[in-house]
Amino acid sequence: MEGDSGFITVQKVYYPLLCILGIPANLFTFYVICFRKCGMSDTAIIYLSCLAIVDTFYLVWVILLDLTLTFWQLQPFWHSHPACGIMGFLQYGSLYSSSWIVVVFTIERYLVLSSTSAKQHFSQAKVTRLTCVSIILVSHLASVPMGWINVVTPKNFTIEGKNVTLPWCHYRGHIYSTVLVWVTTFLSGGIPIILVIIFNSLIGHHLTRARKLFTKEERRVMRGGSTKGMVRRTIFLLGTVSVTFVVLSLPRFVTYCILRTKYNHDWFDRNDYRIPINLISDLANMLQNLNSSTNFLLYCMVSRRFRQELLHTLTCKSKARELGSFLTQTTMKVFSLVDHKVPPTRDPITVVLTNLKQTQ
């Protein structure tokens, strides 16, 4: 890579740090959402836990095995065949899954708000699980053609003053790759961004219109209900995740469209950071990749119940020790009372029968 060596150093530090912080954060988020009571609906728990898992896979396939190794190794393992094609399939499968889970969750929340029959249908956990599984399967099915977007060819490198020929995984110089890149750009960025903006606007409009139908006193009473409060918290959390998705994904979509139109030439050096569009585009990539590891922070900021359960989870060992000590003391007291009331030389059964006769 040529040009700004400082920016290269930033990426060398940024991507490993993103993996070190993002992967454990996503897995911990999955645990807290699934196994602790965070005040979310069953459907929200399924969508958000599924999002945490696919984001974790995205961090592994794209950030750890691709970008991190690219900046720290001359020849990562995926430059050979068939790893070159498999990595493309896995990366785009996780990218599609992450984007469309946010989209479908947003559409589902709008339908639940606007239709009673839709609320009854989509409030079922079974339907939500089936929806999430379908999203992941279709996303990976749609990413199958990406397994052939790259080709492995020999390339000469200079290592310690010696010329060495090594395999190199890169885009095919063919119309097939160009068409697939455009389709992928819109499936993973353009269309999801548009749908999220549209349906979040519809949700906001629906809530504003519904708010005008009630007086302040009625809204205060409704706000106190557990079901209404849960819906409100879920929508607020979804809105935060959706807005973050749009803000972090839109710059990458715009810069990628510019690269594929104005700078789509064979002679253009994508690795030359002296060209402003290359620098801006990679900054946009860094923002989009950040999207896969920020949900933990978003939940901490906007969900009080999530923060509470997080603290309870982190302090569970001390609470377990307190509970164990309490149980031990209680058990010892019970046995001491039994030993005090029942003489050890007498048969417990005789004692019980004698007491029964006396009672009779």
Side-chain angles (χ1 to χ4, degrees):
M1 295 184 179
E2 303 176 6
D4 192 350
S5 59
F7 184 61
I8 296 175
T9 303
V10 169
Q11 294 181 85
K12 281 186 176 181
V13 176
Y14 174 77
Y15 287 119
L17 188 62
L18 204 60
C19 294
I20 294 172
L21 299 178
I23 294 176
N26 282 337
L27 295 177
F28 192 70
T29 298
F30 173 79
Y31 168 75
V32 173
I33 290 176
C34 289
F35 301 103
R36 311 290 293 192
K37 296 180 180 180
C38 297
M40 301 179 188
S41 63
D42 291 339
T43 55
I45 290 174
I46 296 172
Y47 277 117
L48 296 179
S49 60
C50 189
L51 180 62
I53 293 299
V54 297
D55 280 346
T56 301
F57 280 114
Y58 180 86
L59 287 171
V60 172
W61 304 137
V62 178
I63 310 302
L64 178 61
L65 298 182
D66 188 347
L67 293 171
T68 300
L69 295 184
T70 297
F71 284 101
W72 284 96
Q73 292 184 1
L74 174 65
Q75 191 72 4
F77 73 95
W78 46 262
H79 277 292
S80 60
H81 186 78
C84 177
I86 294 174
M87 284 292 291
F89 163 74
L90 295 175
Q91 288 175 357
Y92 284 97
S94 59
L95 177 60
Y96 288 155
S97 300
S98 179
S99 300
W100 284 96
I101 284 175
V102 176
V103 172
V104 174
F105 188 22
T106 306
I107 296 174
E108 184 256 6
R109 286 294 94 183
Y110 170 72
L111 294 176
V112 166
L113 284 175
S114 59
S115 172
T116 304
S117 59
K119 181 179 181 180
Q120 295 175 350
H121 178 72
F122 289 109
S123 296
Q124 303 177 33
K126 181 180 178 180
V127 174
T128 307
R129 292 191 192 96
L130 181 62
T131 301
C132 288
V133 171
S134 300
I135 293 171
I136 295 174
L137 291 178
V138 172
S139 296
H140 282 80
L141 184 63
S143 67
V144 169
M146 304 305 295
W148 289 273
I149 196 173
N150 294 322
V151 62
V152 178
T153 57
K155 184 176 180 179
N156 294 326
F157 294 91
T158 301
I159 303 177
E160 297 180 354
K162 297 180 180 179
N163 291 328
V164 179
T165 301
L166 298 173
W168 189 254
C169 178
H170 60 93
Y171 277 140
R172 293 178 183 270
H174 195 270
I175 189 66
Y176 174 83
S177 296
T178 302
V179 171
L180 273 185
V181 167
W182 274 110
V183 171
T184 301
T185 302
F186 278 91
L187 283 181
S188 63
I191 297 176
I193 289 172
I194 293 172
L195 291 176
V196 166
I197 292 174
I198 290 174
F199 281 95
N200 269 297
S201 301
L202 291 174
I203 290 173
H205 174 71
H206 180 86
L207 293 176
T208 302
R209 187 178 61 179
R211 186 180 179 86
K212 295 178 180 179
L213 297 177
F214 303 96
T215 63
K216 291 183 178 180
E217 183 64 22
E218 289 172 333
R219 289 198 298 269
R220 186 184 64 80
V221 174
M222 292 174 60
R223 195 178 297 117
S226 59
T227 304
K228 292 291 183 181
M230 183 179 294
V231 172
R232 182 171 54 85
R233 288 192 298 268
T234 301
I235 292 175
F236 181 55
L237 188 60
L238 170 63
T240 305
V241 173
S242 301
V243 170
T244 304
F245 168 76
V246 172
V247 170
L248 296 180
S249 300
L250 187 58
R252 195 254 182 186
F253 172 73
V254 173
T255 56
Y256 212 78
C257 289
I258 295 174
L259 283 172
R260 285 295 162 181
T261 52
K262 187 176 180 180
Y263 297 95
N264 192 26
H265 307 290
D266 293 336
W267 49 264
F268 180 72
D269 186 2
R270 179 67 179 82
N271 295 322
D272 187 358
Y273 287 129
R274 292 172 296 187
I275 304 175
I277 188 61
N278 286 337
L279 186 64
I280 296 172
S281 180
D282 278 1
L283 283 172
N285 286 337
M286 294 170 70
L287 284 177
Q288 186 190 35
N289 293 327
L290 183 64
N291 183 54
S292 298
S293 57
T294 56
N295 287 336
F296 174 78
L297 296 177
L298 295 179
Y299 302 154
C300 288
M301 287 189 295
V302 303
S303 175
R304 181 176 58 86
R305 292 289 298 275
F306 184 87
R307 291 194 300 270
Q308 290 176 347
E309 293 302 324
L310 174 63
L311 293 176
H312 292 164
T313 303
L314 292 176
T315 57
C316 64
K317 292 184 179 180
S318 60
K319 290 182 179 296
R321 285 195 295 268
E322 294 173 2
L323 179 61
S325 177
F326 172 78
L327 291 176
T328 301
Q329 294 175 5
T330 304
T331 305
M332 292 177 65
K333 288 180 180 179
V334 170
F335 278 111
S336 64
L337 290 173
V338 171
D339 292 339
H340 178 72
K341 290 182 178 180
V342 182
T345 58
R346 300 182 61 185
D347 188 358
I349 298 178
T350 305
V351 173
V352 173
L353 292 176
T354 305
N355 292 335
L356 286 175
K357 288 180 180 180
Q358 293 175 356
T359 304
Q360 292 174 353

